[in-house]
Structure formats: structure tokens, C-alpha cells
Amino acid sequence: MLSKVSEKRMHAVRLVLVIGWLLLIFSLFYDPITHHLTNPSNFLSPFRDSLPQVIVQGKPLKEQPYPIGARVFWGMVVPSAIMIVLVFGHETWRRICPLYFLSQIPRALGLKPRLNINKNTWLTRNHFYVQFALLFIGLNFRILFINSARLALGLFLLTAIASSITVIFLYGGRSWCHYVCPFGVVQTVFTGPRSLLGSNGISASPQSITQSMCRTVDITTNQEKSACIGCKSACMDIDAEKSYWNDLKKPGRRFVQYGYLGLVIGYFVYYRLYAGNFDYYFSGAWMHEENQLSTLWKPGFYLFNEPINIPKIIAVPLTLAFAVALSYWSLTKIEKAYRAYLKKHNSRINSEQVLHRMLTICTFIAFNSFFIYGGRPEILRLPVPAQLLFNTLVVIVSTMWLVRTWGRSFEQYQRDSNLDSFRRQLSKLSINNSQFLKGRSLDELSSNELFILASVLPEYRQKDRLEIYKSILLEGLIQKNFTSSNSLEILQEIRQKLALSENEHFSILSEISSEQPFLIYPNQRINPANSHVELTQTRLLKTHRR
């Protein structure tokens, strides 16, 4: 949504947010003022805490006025980030993220990356597991050490800042966001192929700046330019949907989605298992509980009005691990049953689409679980009409996202990508289309209208159609939307509408091979003099097999 906002303006926005975030962190170490705001007798303060006394493990919890730093972070900042990601997209969050701003200090100082992230094949292949593990550890730390221990929370946030700066110092780009940051898992889960109001990465022309792509301002021209160093193939910041489909079957992708739902449910349920009631969580008392660290070796469960003598420091990871394992096992079984049902009814939905629908349902449930249960401490302080309005908004937003996402498929993405490329190529031809468009622009035409226009206009000669097709093919190869081996199948519809044969497809592919052989053989050293011959042999072999 903010993809078209200038980098100068976004830099100023990030700077303001960073200052606010650093002040919040500072307040965790020293804050002699804000405890007055939470005093129940301060009727002028919107932050005053006047909720009924909370019972934890059968005993009333001692409470007193407290600084609001932890409450602001857990009760306002974190829920806002999740809402932004689903509604406005990861692109909006990454352009305003204070941690991203601070992580780019090495780049701002002109320091070049020390290592190539692409050579760290283990991390690039298994980063979903790494990020999920860090998220799991972080939630354990949150319950055990940093929920209300302000000093521990401050040190935790400073450690996150130092870690992000270190990763960017080593690898550059957005390597922290893509491969390490635990919140990256949350962004992946809640964005899906597309956020509700996010921009469309495929509609932009090649080499243009899209979504939350790394960018900077050229000092000489004062114009924005790309600062991408290629730290991730199929980058989420360039085209989120392309990244989604590319990563769909990557190691750990299914696990983080299914496991995340379990992590969300397990996190919230633990408060009930620990305190013996839901009031402990809903009141938000855990955000300002005195002496949190003193409870580590006390009973971690309280069931049927009896404490269970398992230390809290063991009970927390045990509960979260069990919830993750149960969620992954259950959803895997449901996915398998769903596949069997579709196969029995001869559905044409492929395996990839089944997984996509399962991930979509997980996101829908996780989002509603978070805000209907997880975000309640601050919401319950609002008037009842405002609470009902917020609940309604959450359901409407999540339902709209579900409807928008449910029927999406990789084939549809490819088709849309090809059509956008087709539209751009038509607009480049010096032909007067106004008499056929009836006041509309090419951008307003549907796919069928575009194809009809290309087929009926006498000005679109065979040469023009070949040039259009070559440009679409070339653009797709450059952006890696397809490869030379599967381009014949993927561009079949466009080729048919342009009345081009398969032989013409291979002839154009041969031209590209002669001009830019690395697009046809990206992983091989190619002798341009021989590439045309090799491609012709490949074409004849495929024709023979048919």
C-alpha cells in the first residue's frame, strides 16, 4: 500500500518510529513518571488500571501502579503489527519497521557485506525452521522472563537490534528479514499470497521498484533507485505472491504454518493452565506482574484447584511444544483427508492448491484467535460498543482476506503475470487504438478484451505479434516466472490468441538463446555459437516425443 510513497518520506516516518521505539526501550530501564498514569485513583488517565482483582493459583495477585512501557509494547505495538501485515501487507510493515531501519546502519555507513548469503545454502534452504525455532524460543522467554520484567524486556529488544545489525553487516540486503527475524514467520503466515490492501507486484514493469523493495535515493539525480543486492531469489519485498508460490513446498513451509497455529493457541491456553482462570490473561496482569522471575521454579500448572508440581520453567516449553506438535499432526491428517476427498470426487484441484487452501484456513483461524482472545487485555478496557465494533471489524477483515485468497492459484498468478506483460507490450506499439477502446485505456480492458483487440486489429501485423510474444517471453525469463523448458506450456494461451505456432515459439526462444544464452541456461556456461543448435535439437526432440 505504501509502495509508491517516496523513500525520503518513508525514511522520515521510520525515523520518527525509531525514536519512539528507542524511547520505549529507554523507559524499560528508567521510568519515574508513567506509573502515575496506571494509578486506579487517577480518573483523568486513559491508562488507569481499575479492573477487578486477579486470582492466580487460588491467591490474589498483588498489584500496584506500574510503568506502562511493557503494556504499550505487548498490548498495542505487537497487535498493531499483526493487523498491519494482514490488512496492508508485509510491504507496509517492512517500510515502517523500526528494526529494519536500525539493521541498515551498516549500509548507511557505506559498509559492504562481508559474506554472500547465497553461499550459506543451509540457511537459505532451512530458514523457515530457523525463524520458527527463534520464535518458539522468544515466546518461551516472553512467558518466563520478559512479559513484565522490564529490564529483561529492554535487554531482549536491544539484543534483537544488535543481532539484526550483525546479520546485515555480514550478509547485507534484507538478509535479517528473510532468513533470521522471528517476525518474518508471522509476516509469511499473515500475508499469504496477497494481503487485503497490498499492492500488486506483477503489474509493474521489469526493473521497476515494487512493494517494499530495497531502495535508496541517488544523490546526483535525486531520484529513487533500487538498492537490491539479490539476497533472496523470488524476494517477498519485490513480488510477495511470487515468493509465496515459490516457497510453498520449501522445507519447513508447511511446518511453520501448521506449527504457528499451535503456537498461538498454546501460548494463550498456557495462561489458563498456569493461573487456573482466564482472568489472569484478560486482565493484562501478566504485563506488570511483580517479581515475575521469582515464579520460575514454582508450580507451572494449576488444574482442578490444585498446583501441579512441575516448575514453570519446564511447564512453559512443554506446553508450547505439545501444542505445536498436536497442531502439526492434526492439520497434516486433515490435509491428507482433504486430498483423499478431492481425489474421490475427481476434483481437478492439484496438490499445490490443496496445501494453499490449508495454509489459508490456518491464517484465518490464527488471526481471529489472536484478536478474539489474544488481543483482549487492551480491548476489554474499551466501552462495550467499541469492543463489539472491533470484534465485527476483525471478522469482516479476516473474512474478506479469506475470500480474496481462497481461490488463488499459481496458475492464476502466472496467467495474470503474462497478461500484465501482454498489456505492457501492446501499449508500446505505435498504433492508434482509440477508435476501438471507446474512451477506455488498455489498463481497463479485461483479458478477453485484450486478446480480441490483438487478434482483430489489422494494424497488428504478424511482425508485431512476434515482437509482442518475444517481449513477453523475454520478460518472463528475466523475472524467472518460468523457464525455457516450461515456457511452451505456460504461454500457450497467449500464443493461441496471437495465432502463433509452437515452431514460432521455439524460433523466438532460439533468438533469445543467441542473444542472451544465460536466460536459457542459467546454471551452465554456454557457448553462444552453439546455443542455437542445442536449442533446435531440444525442440526437435520434444516434437518427436509428442
Side-chain angles (χ1 to χ4, degrees), residues 40 47 66 69 87 115 137 143 148 151 155 224 227 246 256 276 293 300 311 334 374 434 438 447 454 489-490 511 545:
F47 296 101
Y66 54 89
V87 177
L115 303 171
I137 294 170
I143 298 175
S148 58
L151 180 61
L155 292 173
E224 286 190 7
N246 183 76
V256 298
L293 301 181
I334 293 173
S434 58
K438 298 180 179 180
S447 58
E489 179 183 356
I490 291 174
E511 290 180 22
R545 287 176 178 174

Side-chain angles (χ1 to χ4, degrees), residues 75-96:
M76 301 175 191
V77 175
V78 172
S80 298
I82 291 176
M83 179 66 77
I84 288 172
V85 169
L86 184 126
V87 177
F88 302 109
H90 80 287
E91 61 188 87
T92 296
W93 175 253
R94 288 195 175 180
R95 293 206 72 192
I96 66 174

Side-chain angles (χ1 to χ4, degrees), residues 244-473:
Y244 174 85
W245 296 115
N246 183 76
D247 292 345
L248 195 60
K249 293 187 177 181
K250 195 171 183 178
R253 182 63 181 89
R254 175 190 278 104
F255 174 77
V256 298
Q257 191 95 8
Y258 292 173
Y260 180 79
L261 179 58
L263 205 56
V264 169
I265 296 173
Y267 174 81
F268 298 137
V269 167
Y270 177 74
Y271 289 94
R272 170 65 175 82
L273 299 176
Y274 169 71
N277 59 71
F278 284 107
D279 294 338
Y280 174 60
Y281 182 82
F282 287 143
S283 67
W286 49 272
M287 289 186 282
H288 54 85
E289 184 178 0
E290 297 294 326
N291 302 317
Q292 178 186 0
L293 301 181
S294 66
T295 65
L296 293 178
W297 297 101
K298 293 182 179 180
F301 296 116
Y302 188 78
L303 304 174
F304 308 108
N305 297 321
E306 291 291 337
I308 307 299
N309 198 23
I310 299 177
K312 186 179 179 183
I313 198 169
I314 297 176
V316 171
L318 193 66
T319 301
L320 296 185
F322 177 77
V324 169
L326 180 61
S327 175
Y328 180 74
W329 179 82
S330 301
L331 291 170
T332 302
K333 292 294 184 182
I334 293 173
E335 180 187 339
K336 185 177 180 180
Y338 184 38
R339 291 180 189 276
Y341 171 82
L342 293 174
K343 185 177 181 180
K344 182 178 179 181
H345 290 78
N346 297 318
S347 174
R348 294 185 178 180
I349 298 177
N350 59 33
S351 176
E352 191 175 59
Q353 188 69 5
V354 172
L355 178 57
H356 161 67
R357 289 187 174 184
M358 288 295 298
L359 302 190
T360 300
I361 288 293
C362 283
T363 298
F364 178 79
I365 296 174
F367 183 81
N368 283 278
S369 297
F370 182 89
F371 282 103
I372 292 175
Y373 180 82
R376 305 316 292 178
E378 291 303 318
I379 297 171
L380 288 175
R381 290 180 166 87
L382 300 173
V384 174
Q387 294 181 36
L388 296 176
L389 179 61
F390 183 83
N391 292 343
T392 302
L393 179 64
V394 167
V395 174
I396 290 175
V397 164
S398 60
T399 302
M400 291 175 63
W401 180 88
L402 178 65
V403 172
R404 172 180 166 85
T405 306
W406 180 259
R408 198 67 179 163
S409 67
F410 179 59
E411 291 73 22
Q412 183 64 47
Y413 167 78
Q414 284 186 321
R415 188 171 189 269
D416 290 348
S417 179
N418 293 335
L419 285 174
D420 277 306
S421 179
F422 184 47
R423 196 188 310 271
R424 286 192 294 273
Q425 305 314 321
L426 287 179
S427 64
K428 293 177 182 179
L429 296 179
S430 56
I431 298 176
N432 183 14
N433 298 317
S434 58
Q435 57 177 320
F436 299 97
L437 299 180
K438 298 180 179 180
R440 293 190 294 171
S441 66
L442 286 174
D443 291 337
E444 296 174 310
L445 298 183
S446 67
S447 58
N448 289 333
E449 289 173 325
L450 278 173
F451 288 135
I452 292 173
L453 179 66
S455 61
V456 301
L457 287 182
E459 290 92 340
Y460 288 138
R461 299 164 299 177
Q462 182 71 3
K463 180 181 178 182
D464 294 326
R465 297 177 187 184
L466 290 172
E467 285 301 317
I468 291 173
Y469 189 76
K470 181 179 180 180
S471 297
I472 295 172
L473 180 56

Side-chain angles (χ1 to χ4, degrees), residues 127-135 177-182 184-185:
H127 68 91
F128 281 125
Y129 291 120
V130 173
Q131 291 174 289
F132 188 85
L134 291 174
L135 180 63
C177 304
H178 292 315
Y179 301 111
V180 183
C181 180
V185 169

Side-chain angles (χ1 to χ4, degrees), residues 506-517:
F506 286 116
S507 295
I508 294 173
L509 207 56
S510 296
E511 290 180 22
I512 296 175
S513 175
S514 300
E515 299 165 357
Q516 304 183 58

